[in-house]
Amino acid sequence: MPETAPLRLGIAGLGTVGVGVVRIVRKHAALLAARAGRPVEIAAVSARSRDKDRGIDIGRYGWEDDPVALARREDVDVVVELMGGSDGPAKATVEAAIRAGKDVVTANKALLAHHGQELARAAEAAGSVLRFEAAVAGGIPVVKALTEGLAGNEITRVMGVMNGTCNYILTRMEATRQGYDALFDEAHKLGYLEADPQLDVGGIDAGHKLALLAAIAFGTQVNFEAVEIEGIEQIELRDIEEAAAMGYRIKLLGVARMTGRGLEQRMSPCLVPANSPLGQLEGGTNMVVIDGDSVGQIVLRGAGAGEGPTASAVIGDVIDIARGFRVSTFGVSAGDLVAATPARAAVPAPYYLRMELIDKPGAMAKVAAVLGEAGVSIDRMRQHGHSAPTAPVIFVTHKCARAQIDAALVGMSQTGVVAGAPVAIRIEEV
Ligand code: NAP
Ligand code: HSE
C-alpha cells in the first residue's frame, strides 16, 4: 500500500535556499500532493536567528534553535539540511537525522565532498536515504540524470561548468572589458560569492561538485582530495581578449574521466571554442556534458544557483522520498563504491602560455629553448603592448602533456628573463 500520510519536513537553514523551499511547499501544496500521492508539509524549522525577517511567515511551524534537536523531532520524517559547511552543525545534523532513522535531503556539496562516503554508508546502515540533487549545478537535475535516466550506460566522461560565480566573473570581464578585481567586487555586491569567496574563485566549490558527479558516474568512492584544482584568480582581461581573438572563451571547466590508469578529475580554467555550447554559456548558468556508451552525449544547461532553481532541486528529492522511491546516495550501494586510483590528466592538449618577458636581447631565445627542452612545440607566438622593462608574450603550443608544460614553467623560472609567474591554460576542443 502506498503511504498516504503527510510527509513532514524539518528544514535546517532558512537562508536563500531554505526560504525558497518553504515558498515552493506553500505555493505548490496541491501540485506536490498530487505528484507525491500524499501531502508534503513543513513540521519544524531551525536557523540561527528566530526573529530575522525572511519575507516568509515561519510562526506556523515548530522552531528549534538547535538543528540537531530538529533532526531528532518525532514529528519530522525528512530532515532538509540547508545550512552549509563541510563540518560543524551541518554534519552533526545530518548524522543525528540518520541515527534517528530519518531520510535526509541536502544541498551541501562541501559536506558530501568531504564526508559523502561515510554518510552514505551510515544512511544505508540505518535504512535511510540521503539525497543531494541541489548540491550539484543548482536547478539542473544532473544527479537524477546520472543515477536514473542514464543508469543503463557506462559513463565515459562528465564535463562541465559548475560554478556560476566564476562563469559570471569571466563572462562579465569579456562583456565589460573590466579586470578580475572589479568583477569580483561586482559579484560580491550581488551576493553571488560563498561566505568564503575562495571556495568559488579558487575552484574548490566546483571541485566538490565534480567529485560528487564522478562518484555517481563511475561508481567510485568520493575522492575530492584527488581533484586537480586551479582557480580563476590568475586570469587577466588580456587573457580573455587574447582567447577571444583566437576564437576561444575561458571557462572554469571540470572534467572527470575513467582511464586505464585510473580516475582523472580536474577543475581548471580552459580555453574552449567560443562557438561551442560551453563557450556560449553566459553569466551564472551551469552546463554539464555527459558521455555514455549507449546514449552518446547529453548536454544539461540551466541555473546553477539561486533561490528558485536550488529549491526546485531540493523539492525534487523530497518528492522522490514522498513517493517511496529509495535510491542509494551515489546510485550504487555505498559498500560497493570502489576506491579508484587517482590519475593525472594525461590526454595531450595545446596550451596557451602568457608571460612577461624582460625586454632584452636573447630573452625570447632562452624561453624558446626551455620549451624545446621540455619537448613542447610552439604553434603560434604573439608579442605586443610593450611596457618597459617587460613585454607580454603569448605562446600557443602544439598538443603536449601537462607534465611537459610544468617542466617548461620550472625551466622558465630559472632563465632570469621571465618576470613573475607565467600563466598556462589548457585549450580544450570540446
Ligand atoms: P545562507 O543563505 O547562508 O543560509 C544559511 C542558513 O543556515 C541561514 O538561515 C542560517 O541562519 C542557517 N544556519 C547557519 N548556521 C546555523 C546553525 N548553527 N544552526 C541553525 N541554523 C544555521 O545559505 P544558502 O545560500 O541558502 O545555502 C545553503 C546550502 O545550500 C549550502 O550548503 C550551499 O552550499 C548550498 N547551495 C546554495 C546555493 C545557492 O544558490 N545559494 C546553490 C546550491 C547549493 P540565519 O539565517 O539565522 O543566519
Ligand atoms: N557558489 C556557487 C556557484 C553556488 O557560484 O555556483 C551554487 O552552488
Side-chain angles (χ1 to χ4, degrees):
M1 280 285 286
E3 182 65 74
T4 53
L7 184 79
R8 301 163 303 173
L9 309 181
I11 302 177
L14 292 171
T16 305
V17 186
V19 165
V21 170
V22 173
R23 288 206 169 107
I24 294 180
V25 170
R26 281 197 198 158
K27 181 176 154 201
H28 289 317
L31 191 71
L32 301 191
R35 289 185 175 156
R38 58 196 288 205
V40 174
E41 297 175 354
I42 297 168
V45 296
S46 175
R48 275 180 297 221
S49 158
R50 190 172 189 170
D51 304 324
K52 192 168 174 178
D53 179 9
R54 302 173 192 278
I56 51 167
D57 170 21
I58 54 166
R60 62 175 91 170
Y61 310 130
W63 172 267
E64 296 288 348
D65 287 323
D66 177 6
V68 171
L70 177 97
R72 294 187 184 131
R73 279 175 71 116
E74 296 264 309
D75 60 354
V76 166
D77 302 312
V78 179
V79 174
V80 182
E81 186 283 302
L82 302 171
M83 295 179 289
S86 60
D87 291 276
K91 181 162 179 269
T93 300
V94 171
E95 287 171 340
I98 291 169
R99 270 198 302 274
K102 321 250 184 215
D103 294 329
V104 178
V105 174
T106 180
N108 191 335
K109 53 263 173 170
L111 173 72
L112 289 178
H114 288 282
H115 305 293
Q117 184 66 32
E118 71 202 58
L119 291 173
R121 262 184 188 276
E124 258 174 53
S128 302
V129 294
L130 168 61
R131 305 293 304 270
F132 64 93
E133 181 68 73
V136 184
I140 303 176
V142 60
V143 173
K144 253 180 145 15
L146 281 169
T147 48
E148 297 173 45
L150 300 176
N153 286 260
E154 182 182 349
I155 303 298
T156 50
R157 184 179 68 173
V158 178
M159 173 172 77
V161 169
M162 302 171 202
N163 183 276
T165 305
C166 289
N167 203 54
Y168 177 85
I169 291 174
L170 292 171
T171 51
R172 287 280 295 159
M173 281 170 78
E174 183 170 1
T176 65
R177 306 198 67 202
Q178 293 181 82
Y180 171 85
D181 291 341
L183 273 310
F184 177 93
D185 290 345
E186 183 176 294
H188 202 256
K189 281 193 197 113
L190 289 167
Y192 286 2
L193 289 157
E194 298 274 338
D196 173 4
Q198 188 56 27
L199 291 177
D200 285 314
V201 297
I204 299 159
D205 171 83
H208 288 153
K209 295 167 181 169
L210 185 71
L212 297 177
L213 289 188
I216 307 172
F218 306 113
T220 51
Q221 293 176 9
V222 184
N223 191 353
F224 166 67
E225 282 70 25
V227 183
E228 294 175 52
I229 296 181
E230 267 177 60
I232 63 163
E233 307 100 311
Q234 82 281 21
I235 306 293
E236 295 187 1
L237 180 57
R238 59 183 148 168
D239 296 318
I240 286 173
E241 291 179 339
E242 292 288 351
M246 294 188 288
Y248 292 97
R249 293 180 94 187
I250 300 179
K251 299 288 166 194
L252 180 67
L253 187 71
V255 181
R257 291 173 61 240
M258 185 57 83
T259 71
R261 298 167 297 105
L263 177 61
E264 283 181 16
Q265 304 179 86
R266 61 185 158 87
M267 180 60 66
S268 57
C270 289
L271 270 68
V272 301
N275 59 5
S276 65
L278 280 163
Q280 289 170 5
L281 207 58
E282 294 287 340
T285 315
N286 283 193
M287 181 175 283
V288 184
V289 181
I290 303 168
D291 292 303
D293 61 347
S294 298
V295 75
Q297 191 168 86
I298 296 280
V299 179
L300 300 166
R301 177 185 184 282
E307 179 186 311
T310 314
S312 157
V314 170
I315 293 288
D317 282 343
V318 166
I319 294 291
D320 268 355
I321 292 170
R323 286 170 169 158
F325 179 59
R326 304 184 75 74
V327 66
S328 303
T329 307
F330 297 104
V332 299
S333 170
D336 291 339
L337 293 168
V338 295
T341 308
R344 283 209 76 187
V347 178
Y351 278 82
Y352 163 99
L353 300 175
R354 191 242 310 154
M355 66 202 70
E356 284 293 324
L357 216 53
I358 309 284
D359 200 2
K360 64 180 187 183
M364 185 71 79
K366 282 189 180 170
V367 169
V370 164
L371 286 168
E373 280 158 24
V376 177
S377 173
I378 298 166
D379 178 21
R380 274 172 282 173
M381 194 279 288
R382 201 165 172 200
Q383 176 178 315
H384 63 103
H386 289 222
S387 60
T390 62
V393 176
I394 310 288
F395 291 103
V396 174
T397 74
H398 285 291
K399 280 187 182 178
C400 61
R402 176 72 210 202
Q404 291 173 281
I405 292 291
D406 289 342
L409 295 178
V410 171
M412 284 176 197
S413 68
Q414 293 161 356
T415 57
V417 297
V418 178
V423 168
I425 310 177
R426 186 180 168 98
I427 301 178
E428 196 81 51
E429 295 296 341
V430 289

